[in-house]
Amino acid sequence: MSAVSTVMMTLDITIVLVALPAIREDLGLTLSGSQWAINAYSLPFASLLLAAASLSDIVGRRTIFLIGHVIFFGASIGCILTGSEAGLITFRALQGAGGALVFGTATPLLADAFEEKDAAKRTKAVAAMMGIGGAASAFGPLIGGALVETGQWRWIFAINIPIGILAILATLFFVPDLHRETRVARAAAVASSPESLPQGPKVSVYAMLLTITSLVLVNYGIIDGENQGWTSRVILCSLGAGLILFTALVLFEMSKRDAAMIDFRLFRIPAFATVTFNAFASRMFSFGMLPFLILWMSGQLGLSALEIGYVASGLAVPMIVFSAVGIKAVAWIPVGWVQAIGMVIVAGGLMLGLRLDAASGWQTLIPMLLVMGAGTGLMLPHVMSLAVEVVPAARTGMASGLANTALPLGTAFGVAVYGAYLANKVGAGLDTLPIPDQFREIAQQAAEAGQFLAIAEQSEPLAQQALEYFLDGLHGIFIIAAVLALIGALASVLFIRPGRSGTADAREDADASAAVAA
């Protein structure tokens, strides 16, 4: 059930991308409404994963897992029935909250199913689950395109209903609350000798509010910075307040030590910090840029939603194939080197994207997507298993929550940062052209949205110029993403050292850090 639930929660991050035109036409979504249809899911999902990790260690993983499924199930029904932009955004936010509770407990729930002596099997199971989940995100546009073209956009949410019912019933009847025994034993030990065990993590409303508010403010500042001006008071205040609140969050949680809801001390473990960065970067250089490739394929090539999904599957198929290769490769190659090799391959795939030009068709994208999918498949299955292995056993829920949070944050910040960069390149280019003032804003909005065929109906030369600026922006995005991938590769070699399960030295670092903290 953990694997099935992971697929469902990750699928909903990307499945909506190709359905946005149909949703916009039906509900009359504004441009900002279309953006929030995506962000309303991603931001609560990323923010509440941290709380879900702590709740799973306190309340019980099976209980939080079930509550998350019920919320997600109800929100999916809401998305189907709603007839307004505000309603869709609200229910998408609730979906993100429920998805966080499910996704944040899926990995530790799966780990609980294996005894300590079955650590190798547990590692393979977690790695396989993460590989499947990553592939589900990549297949999102294909599935969404198929559902939109054979039915209507509400079908992308309707498929959650039977899966949700199956997951809830299967969890109730077949998944025991193995974590309960640990909680009972801990409670008994504390009752008999309160000083015998360190204070456990506690859910903090202040920490949750600081997390959500800081992420939303920074995200808003990055997304709207180009439109309102990077030096405008609103943008500067948004970015500044977001960074200040996040700093306050770190200081507040660090002061609580073992009682912290978010244990930032885990980032003192080099292997854990590296794995978390790799998780963030892997989504930033893949799904973080996917919306802009979809804009190009739709607005310049005129591909349908389903055709875009077929092209995007060039990322998904090798991701699945090479996930199996990556899982097997650690038998001969240290896991840190497997991570590094995957990152270097991804960087090579991104460089193939520089071949895109004004005359390119969708075929030009395929080599880039295939190579990126292969590299991501190699490294991504090990992210969660590494995050769980390199920290003390009592912090596995916390570690998986932090590493899981890095995935949607990578997507969200990729969309925000790359979008701001792309808008800047397009806007700066159009500013050099003699466009009448009354049409300049309309032309820029159309160019940023990749609507070059629509622009060509009014002016073919303007469409060609706008396309060139858009492609220059894409090339810059590819280079930025490649640099992130190479940084992750270098860090993997330096900090994820060989040993038992590829992380023995890192585990010693974790134990040492835990001893110091205690």
Side-chain angles (χ1 to χ4, degrees):
M1 275 301 100
S2 293
V4 172
S5 300
T6 297
V7 168
M8 185 165 65
M9 303 308 156
T10 54
L11 189 64
D12 264 63
I13 296 176
T14 57
I15 195 173
V16 74
L17 292 176
V18 296
L20 279 178
I23 299 175
R24 183 163 54 243
E25 182 179 348
D26 189 17
L27 299 184
L29 291 184
T30 61
L31 177 60
S32 62
S34 298
Q35 293 173 312
W36 278 111
I38 299 172
N39 289 347
Y41 184 93
S42 298
L43 291 178
F45 187 92
S47 302
L48 296 178
L49 271 177
L50 302 172
S54 296
L55 284 169
S56 74
D57 286 338
I58 299 169
V59 178
R61 290 154 190 175
R62 179 175 176 269
T63 301
I64 298 302
F65 188 76
L66 281 170
I67 292 173
H69 266 297
V70 171
I71 295 174
F72 189 87
F73 178 82
S76 295
I77 295 176
C79 288
I80 297 170
L81 299 178
T82 188
S84 68
E85 174 182 303
L88 178 66
I89 293 172
T90 299
F91 288 119
R92 283 287 287 169
L94 287 173
Q95 270 193 318
L101 296 181
V102 173
F103 199 81
T105 52
T107 299
L109 191 65
L110 180 62
D112 282 346
F114 294 88
E115 298 179 3
E116 196 65 33
K117 62 182 180 181
D118 294 328
K121 292 182 180 179
R122 178 183 61 195
T123 298
K124 290 181 180 179
V126 172
M129 184 181 72
M130 290 310 302
I132 294 171
S137 292
F139 274 121
L142 176 60
I143 297 172
L147 291 172
V148 170
E149 293 204 3
T150 58
Q152 54 176 310
W153 65 264
R154 285 181 170 84
W155 286 29
I156 67 175
F157 301 113
I159 63 170
N160 295 331
I161 306 304
I163 299 176
I165 293 174
L166 174 64
I168 291 171
L169 292 178
T171 302
L172 284 172
F173 290 105
F174 301 112
V175 179
D177 189 1
L178 298 176
H179 194 57
R180 178 183 298 176
E181 298 177 5
T182 302
R183 300 199 314 274
V184 171
R186 181 186 177 91
V190 171
S192 61
S193 179
E195 70 282 356
S196 63
L197 291 174
Q199 188 179 13
K202 294 183 177 180
V203 177
S204 169
V205 175
Y206 295 110
M208 285 191 287
L209 289 176
L210 285 172
T211 301
I212 295 173
T213 305
S214 63
L215 290 177
V216 169
L217 286 173
V218 171
N219 198 270
Y220 171 80
I222 295 173
I223 289 175
D224 273 25
E226 178 62 25
N227 291 331
Q228 298 191 35
W230 292 103
T231 58
S232 72
R233 183 175 300 177
V234 172
I235 296 302
L236 290 177
C237 288
S238 178
L239 292 172
L243 293 174
I244 290 171
L245 289 177
F246 187 77
T247 302
L249 169 69
V250 174
L251 295 176
F252 176 69
E253 291 296 276
M254 290 284 283
S255 69
K256 295 171 68 176
R257 302 180 68 80
D258 290 335
M261 188 186 81
I262 309 169
D263 194 349
F264 287 102
R265 295 174 301 171
L266 294 179
F267 289 102
R268 295 174 179 171
I269 305 170
F272 179 77
T274 299
V275 167
T276 306
F277 173 82
N278 287 353
F280 179 89
S282 70
R283 288 299 172 87
M284 192 171 183
F285 60 52
S286 56
F287 303 130
M289 71 171 60
L290 190 58
F292 309 106
L293 296 177
I294 289 175
L295 289 178
W296 174 74
M297 287 187 282
S298 174
Q300 171 61 18
L301 304 184
L303 299 186
S304 68
L306 183 57
E307 289 170 334
I308 290 173
Y310 283 135
V311 176
S313 66
L315 180 68
V317 173
M319 190 180 292
I320 293 176
V321 173
F322 282 86
S323 290
V325 176
I327 293 172
K328 293 290 186 181
V330 293
W332 304 282
I333 305 172
V335 69
W337 281 93
V338 173
Q339 291 267 295
I341 292 170
M343 286 289 202
V344 171
I345 291 174
V346 167
L350 288 163
M351 290 298 94
L352 291 176
L354 298 179
R355 298 166 57 242
L356 280 180
D357 57 31
S360 296
W362 61 267
Q363 298 88 344
T364 309
L365 273 183
I366 296 300
M368 169 188 169
L369 295 177
L370 289 174
V371 174
M372 286 181 60
T376 305
L378 282 177
M379 54 82 56
L380 195 58
H382 302 290
V383 168
M384 287 305 111
S385 59
L386 280 170
V388 170
E389 289 177 5
V390 301
V391 302
R395 284 295 193 252
T396 57
M398 179 78 67
S400 66
L402 287 169
N404 274 324
T405 298
L407 295 170
L409 280 183
T411 299
F413 276 87
V415 171
V417 173
Y418 296 152
Y421 178 85
L422 188 64
N424 179 265
K425 295 290 288 187
V426 171
L430 293 179
D431 285 343
T432 65
L433 301 179
I435 305 173
D437 291 339
Q438 63 268 33
F439 300 121
R440 183 175 297 277
E441 183 176 352
I442 296 175
Q444 180 164 343
Q445 289 179 351
E448 290 174 0
Q451 299 300 311
F452 306 111
L453 295 178
I455 297 174
E457 294 177 359
Q458 305 299 321
S459 172
E460 180 68 32
L462 178 59
Q464 289 299 316
Q465 287 288 340
L467 176 59
E468 290 290 346
Y469 300 140
F470 188 90
L471 290 174
D472 285 344
L474 281 183
H475 291 168
I477 289 172
F478 298 153
I479 293 172
I480 293 170
V483 170
L484 284 175
L486 292 177
I487 291 173
L490 179 61
S492 296
V493 172
L494 292 177
F495 300 122
I496 302 178
R497 306 173 214 162
R500 184 172 64 86
S501 297
T503 57
D505 293 340
R507 182 182 291 277
E508 292 172 6
D509 291 342
D511 293 339
S513 296
V516 171

